[in-house]
Amino acid sequence: MSITPVNAPFPMTRLRRLRRTAALRGLAAENTLSVNDLIWPIFVMEGQNDSYAIPSMPGVMRLTVDRAVLAAKEAHDLGIPAICIFPYTDDASRTEDCALAWSPDNLSNRATAAIKAAVPDIAIMTDVALDPYNANGHDGFVRDGTIVNDETVEALVKMTLAQAAAGADIIGPSDMMDGRIGAMRRALEADGFQDVAILSYSAKYASAFYGPFRDALGASGALVGDKKTYQMNPANSDEALRLVARDLSEGADMVMVKPGLPYLDICRRVKDQFGAPTYAYQVSGEYAMIMGAGANGWINEEQVMMESLMAFKRAGCDGILTYFAPRVAKLLGA
Ligand code: PBG
């Protein structure tokens, strides 16, 4: 006598067969997470042989340049292909004219040069935006309460060239000004940096998930108002495709969607439509949520970490910027 439900087709579609053992699940896996998928964002600060734990990002430290070099060495030994440098600035570094942004020996450029010299084989990504150097915490110049797009782009170009000269392999414009990719690409070509790549933060949303990062940079107190006139409206998705199309046509080599997990639909659309190298940024707030719930025993932190990163791969991402990078690399290598 059959126990097959009366109306089911025969033979029954038993998809569970390939989930029965770890070996079969491995064979049937559609996506894999590898250490090659990781870009590790690090925060650098002034000083010597020192670090500072960022309260809203448990496990993440601001590092002095010498310590950042050691961190880069460790990352390289773990097989992590790239790190991304963000500078922590104090009030004195933040001015109306943002002049420190394109200074050849600002903190970020010193860190880049030091890491390049000590760990030449790790790719170094840098951040292009005025916020660490701006008195009002915005990514662009502000006049009469309005972001001045084109003047900002000129400053971003100077910043880009200084970062390329310091040894950056990948320039990461996170500012969301219009026209910056074309201007940066033209300047890089003209100044002999034609091999420097641009990973554009093309679809960067005006998100509350950046909160802990702004603490990490010291920019929380500085920011006047919000970034909604230049970062994307979380309600939009078609607009992300237009931004990606524009940035690729202006000379971006790689594109990014940011934040990550709440925007996986955008990652998938971007990958399907353009087939370009597509990255997602698992941002500070996403990190903090996983760590916070983990610390409370509400979730299994390590499993959620790995599952969240696999989700990016499933959504079509070629790589992920994640604060979990060294921890994941150790797990994958173990
Ligand atoms: C600023 C910048 C931000 C992040 C990267 N670059 C914050 C912002 O736009 O205010 C966020 C990263 C994170 O939250 O982890 N140019």
Side-chain angles (χ1 to χ4, degrees):
M1 201 196 109
S2 173
I3 54 163
T4 304
V6 185
N7 294 322
F10 183 83
M12 189 175 172
T13 310
R14 294 191 188 273
L15 288 166
R16 285 187 51 219
R17 277 188 205 114
L18 297 187
R19 295 183 216 130
R20 188 171 56 88
T21 67
L24 292 170
R25 289 193 293 275
L27 274 177
E30 298 173 35
N31 294 284
T32 48
L33 177 68
S34 128
V35 69
N36 273 323
D37 301 321
L38 305 173
I39 300 177
W40 184 26
I42 61 166
F43 300 103
V44 293
M45 65 177 190
E46 296 288 357
Q48 266 283 312
N49 193 26
D50 203 2
S51 65
Y52 171 85
I54 300 158
S56 48
M57 299 178 73
V60 176
M61 306 277 195
R62 292 179 199 145
L63 304 170
T64 52
V65 172
D66 52 334
R67 291 258 185 116
V69 168
L70 297 178
K73 274 207 185 94
E74 191 203 340
H76 180 60
D77 290 345
L78 286 167
I80 294 172
I83 57 168
C84 179
I85 297 172
F86 291 100
Y88 168 77
T89 51
D90 57 12
D91 286 343
S93 311
R94 286 191 288 269
T95 57
E96 209 78 9
D97 67 0
C98 308
L100 204 53
W102 50 92
S103 160
D105 54 54
N106 70 19
L107 178 59
S108 167
N109 291 332
R110 273 184 279 124
T112 299
I115 292 169
K116 185 96 281 182
V119 199
D121 294 335
I122 199 163
I124 302 176
M125 175 173 168
T126 50
D127 185 60
V128 176
L130 298 182
D131 56 326
Y133 309 99
N134 203 343
N136 53 47
H138 279 286
D139 293 8
F141 294 124
V142 182
R143 198 170 302 130
D144 301 325
T146 303
I147 296 283
V148 195
N149 190 93
D150 298 9
E151 265 175 55
T152 299
V153 169
E154 284 174 33
L156 298 173
V157 166
K158 289 192 272 182
M159 196 173 175
T160 299
L161 293 175
Q163 292 178 353
D169 299 288
I170 305 170
I171 303 290
S174 68
D175 56 280
M176 287 296 280
M177 296 300 120
D178 287 324
R180 87 259 208 232
I181 303 299
M184 292 164 68
R185 175 53 73 207
R186 227 171 288 126
L188 288 169
E189 288 282 330
D191 276 31
F193 298 116
Q194 56 274 12
D195 290 334
V196 171
I198 299 178
L199 198 182
S200 180
Y201 289 61
S202 296
K204 178 172 178 180
Y205 287 84
S207 173
F209 285 96
Y210 308 149
F213 173 94
R214 292 178 192 165
D215 293 343
L217 278 201
S220 303
L223 183 63
V224 180
D226 58 49
K227 301 191 174 185
K228 290 180 184 169
T229 70
Y230 45 107
Q231 298 181 346
M232 275 186 73
N233 182 347
N236 295 357
S237 163
D238 292 341
E239 186 189 354
L241 302 184
R242 297 181 67 199
L243 286 163
V244 168
R246 182 198 63 186
D247 288 359
L248 289 172
S249 77
E250 289 186 15
D253 303 280
M254 310 144 97
V255 294
M256 190 200 295
V257 174
K258 181 186 174 188
L261 224 49
Y263 295 84
L264 290 184
D265 57 319
I266 310 298
C267 298
R268 172 48 69 192
R269 287 191 75 186
V270 167
K271 189 64 189 176
D272 284 350
Q273 181 138 343
F274 301 100
T278 303
Y279 299 79
Y281 198 142
Q282 182 176 51
V283 300
S284 56
E286 300 175 62
Y287 176 85
M289 290 197 305
I290 294 173
M291 293 301 287
N296 275 295
W298 296 338
I299 58 171
N300 180 319
E301 186 181 291
E302 193 171 283
Q303 287 175 6
V304 170
M305 169 181 81
M306 296 305 273
E307 184 179 331
S308 69
L309 292 165
M310 184 62 85
F312 288 105
K313 297 301 303 288
R314 198 191 58 242
C317 293
D318 294 282
I320 309 112
L321 285 95
T322 176
Y323 302 100
F324 287 122
R327 196 169 157 193
V328 172
K330 280 177 204 151
L331 270 179
L332 289 173

